[in-house]
């Protein structure tokens, strides 16, 4: 008789090709999926994220069942639900008496550490397989990183382009003649640019039931459940991506860094929740965008800009995460200890850029990259918010948030807590940057062109105050030399005014 394997599928492993299923025996094996409080509450995830993931898990279980696999699905309100993945595995081993447990490695270090104890807890061998859904394996990343003093996206990205052949010519050169069209990704949005409509999925009965469940079980978590328009099946996610390619991708490159009042998505794809939980495959997505470029449907700055995010940044931050965890989460290079401002949970602030980004985050569990980096991230950096607090905020508030992608983006990019492991300088900016890339300042009570004074934009004085405060750590950075020279030309009165106003402002927070 064939030996039975119990195959565990986690909430972010909703891919038919996942390594834990490749050799599944339809007749003998059992697939276990479990909604558990521990995963839903290790941080107080946005309610929309929980509803999205539970609904996607339930739909995926139905899809596996339709393919003939026996699926044992433990819902969160099952009376015997034991509350954690480990405890659910123990129960499932009793039910199914498998010869072994097969699972694909966890995306988060927290759960990977727990997995190491599953064999002892369950009493059966546990086979942990590599997650092959990424372009770059841990081994290849480690080899690439070995001996490098600094890890730079651009070097990694070029190696990835060569390794995959994506956007490469037959004779090994980058398509279009350049590796990187970053300088063509920064157009501000003129008033005449029409923003495409976002792709919304009408929730089905199953999703409605999950929304009601989440409303009941997670009343105190952050965020709005409604409106709910996320895709929860692979086919819906593919339709969402097809919509993006048709209506937004051609302009993705031009307006990648732009922000606009009451327009949360603009020309972005909104596919990170689907990529990160497995409903979309990064390889397939990049190949389709490459095909759009080769067929002349989209310009090179759009195709390259988009592929760079997935083949480059997404893979790169995952590599950095696994190379440096668990110590990575403890980094605090700038000795930042301020609490997270209370308005990060409410959006209740007169600073319009922050209000816009936080209110849309609460409503949609979404903000695009520049909003995350240059508005909420930049402000936390300027205020010296403790890295752990701001990191947890990001892990809570976005539907696409998982520690492997949050921590490098927040600790490494947004708040420079790792001291420049991969960012060559802090992404600190005053209001001028936000004015250039958005129309937020036109709707704000503060004067973005003033650095001190009652109406002055807080980003302006906080920016200079940040540089003064961190002079010892940052003045030696070659990329900040000009900025420090500019600061040194300020007279003592101006410096004192900046210091005084910043300290009053920081003391008034919370
Ligand atoms: P698009 O702008 O359409 O980009 C396409 C895809 O590229 C994204 O879906 C994503 O998969 C990938 N991508 C782009 N930039 C990055 C990046 N820096 N790191 C990893 N992948 C990237 N991304 C997450 O997936 N989850 C997070 O929790 C997350 N937190 C972030 C926190 C901060 C402070 C910052 C600065 C960035 C964060 N990012 C995160 C990266 C990026 O902001 C999001 O991937 C993107 O905004 C998701 O929206 P989109 O799908 O419309 O992306
Ligand atoms: C994010 C999440 C949530 C909210 N709930 C579950 C769950 O109930 N069951 C599950 O298997 N996975 C869930 N997830 C995703 C996991 O947190 C994710 O698989 C790990 O963080 C990856 O290491
Ligand atoms: Fe933000 Fe300052 Fe512009 Fe107001 S003026 S929206 S606070 S950058």
């Amino acid at each position: 008789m064939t030996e039975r394997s119990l195959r565990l599928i986690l909430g972010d492993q909703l891919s038919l090709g996942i390594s834990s299923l490749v050799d599944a025996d339809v007749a003998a094996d059992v697939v276990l999926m479990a909604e558990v409080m521990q995963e839903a509450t290790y941080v107080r995830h946005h309610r929309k994220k929980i509803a999205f993931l539970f609904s996607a898990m339930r739909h995926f279980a139905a899809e596996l069942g339709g393919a003939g696999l026996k699926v044992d699905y433990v819902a969160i309100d099952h009376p015997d639900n034991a509350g954690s993945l480990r405890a659910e595995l123990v129960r499932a081993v009793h039910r199914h008496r498998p010869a072994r447990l097969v699972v694909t490695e966890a995306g988060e270090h927290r759960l990977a550490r727990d997995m190491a104890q599953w064999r002892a807890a369950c009493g059966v061998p546990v086979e942990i397989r590599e997650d092959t859904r990424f372009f770059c394996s841990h081994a290849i990343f480690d080899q690439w990183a070995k001996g490098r003093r600094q890890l730079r996206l651009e070097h990694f990205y070029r190696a990835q382009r060569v390794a995959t052949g994506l956007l490469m010519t037959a004779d090994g050169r980058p398509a279009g003649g350049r590796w990187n069209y970053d300088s063509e990704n920064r157009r501000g949005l003129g008033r005449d640019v029409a923003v495409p409509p976002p792709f919304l999925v009408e929730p089905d009965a199953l999703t409605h039931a999950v929304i009601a469940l989440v409303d009941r079980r997670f009343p105190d978590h952050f965020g709005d459940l409604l409106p709910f328009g996320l895709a929860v099946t692979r086919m819906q996610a593919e339709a969402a991506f097809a919509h993006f390619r048709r209506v937004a991708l051609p302009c993705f490159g031009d307006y990648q860094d732009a922000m606009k009042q009451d327009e949360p998505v603009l020309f972005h794809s909104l596919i990170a929740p689907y990529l990160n939980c497995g409903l979309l495959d990064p390889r397939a997505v990049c190949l389709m965008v490459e095909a759009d470029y080769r067929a002349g449907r989209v310009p090179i700055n759009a195709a390259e800009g988009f592929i760079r995010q997935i083949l480059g940044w997404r893979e790169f931050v995952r590599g950095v995460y696994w190379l440096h965890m668990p110590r990575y989460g403890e980094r605090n290079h700038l000795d930042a200890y301020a609490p997270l401002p209370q308005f990060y949970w409410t959006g209740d602030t007169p600073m319009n850029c922050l209000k816009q980004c936080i209110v849309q985050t609460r409503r949609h569990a979404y903000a695009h990259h520049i909003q995350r980096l240059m508005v909420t991230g930049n402000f936390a950096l300027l205020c010296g918010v403790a890295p752990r607090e701001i990191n947890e905020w990001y892990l809570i508030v976005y539907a696409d948030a998982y520690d492997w992608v949050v921590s490098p983006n927040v600790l490494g990019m947004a708040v420079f807590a790792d001291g420049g492991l991969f960012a060559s300088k802090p992404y600190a900016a005053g209001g001028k940057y936000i004015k250039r890339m958005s129309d937020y300042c036109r709707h704000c009570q503060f004067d973005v062109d003033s650095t001190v004074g009652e109406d002055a934009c807080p980003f302006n004085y906080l920016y200079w105050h940040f540089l003064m405060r961190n002079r010892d750590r940052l003045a030696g950075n070659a990329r900040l030399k000009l900025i420090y020279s500019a600061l040194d030309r300020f007279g003592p009165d101006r410096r004192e005014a900046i210091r005084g106003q910043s300290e009053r402002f920081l003391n008034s927070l919370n």
Side-chain angles (χ1 to χ4, degrees), residues 28-185:
D29 293 351
V30 175
V31 176
L32 175 70
M33 297 179 72
E35 298 167 1
V36 290
M37 281 310 266
Q38 188 175 48
E39 292 308 306
T41 57
Y42 72 88
V43 294
R44 293 157 68 82
H45 302 283
H46 196 298
R47 281 148 51 98
K48 200 171 299 233
K49 176 183 178 183
I50 301 177
F52 160 65
L53 220 56
F54 282 6
S55 177
M57 285 172 72
R58 291 179 184 201
H59 280 96
F60 187 70
E63 191 177 5
L64 292 182
L69 281 158
K70 195 192 301 169
V71 184
D72 183 353
Y73 193 95
V74 184
I76 194 95
D77 48 0
H78 187 288
D80 299 330
N81 191 311
S84 74
L85 289 166
R86 200 195 313 176
E88 275 308 317
L89 276 167
V90 172
R91 286 201 325 118
V93 166
H94 278 112
R95 279 198 301 281
H96 302 294
R97 303 278 164 207
R100 63 172 183 160
L101 169 66
V102 180
V103 62
T104 294
E105 64 181 320
E108 299 192 337
H109 187 270
R110 169 190 64 81
L111 192 59
R113 217 175 33 212
D114 197 61
M115 268 186 190
Q117 299 171 34
W118 286 1
R119 196 209 148 116
C122 298
V124 291
V126 178
E127 185 184 330
I128 301 174
R129 295 185 177 169
E130 180 161 8
D131 191 341
T132 53
R133 295 173 299 170
F134 290 88
F135 285 98
C136 184
S137 66
H138 298 305
I140 290 180
F141 189 87
D142 294 355
Q143 200 180 3
W144 173 81
K146 206 169 167 188
R148 286 175 196 263
R149 213 165 41 83
Q150 290 176 318
L151 304 178
R152 289 288 174 261
L153 178 272
E154 187 59 25
H155 303 149
F156 171 77
Y157 170 55
R158 289 183 189 190
Q160 287 282 94
R161 290 270 295 276
V162 172
T164 58
L166 276 166
L167 290 182
M168 298 298 291
T169 62
D171 58 354
R173 285 179 296 116
R178 275 162 50 195
W179 289 100
N180 188 316
Y181 291 79
D182 198 20
S183 59
E184 288 169 40
N185 295 151

Side-chain angles (χ1 to χ4, degrees), residues 391-405:
N391 204 47
E392 181 166 307
W393 183 79
Y394 278 103
L395 195 50
I396 288 174
V397 302
Y398 293 114
D400 52 36
Y402 296 88
D403 194 37
W404 65 266
V405 57

Side-chain angles (χ1 to χ4, degrees), residues 377-416:
N378 180 26
F379 189 75
L381 171 73
L382 299 184
C383 292
V385 173
R388 267 179 182 278
E389 282 204 39
I390 186 68
N391 204 47
E392 181 166 307
W393 183 79
Y394 278 103
L395 195 50
I396 288 174
V397 302
Y398 293 114
D400 52 36
Y402 296 88
D403 194 37
W404 65 266
V405 57
V406 170
S407 284
N409 270 300
V410 177
L411 303 176
M413 266 219 269
V415 298
F416 208 66

Side-chain angles (χ1 to χ4, degrees), residues 351-354 431 434-435 440-441 444 446-448 457-459:
M351 289 175 280
N352 185 46
C353 51
L354 284 156
I434 295 171
K435 179 185 175 189
Y440 293 156
C441 304
C444 186
F446 294 106
D447 177 5
V448 70
C457 163
F459 280 82

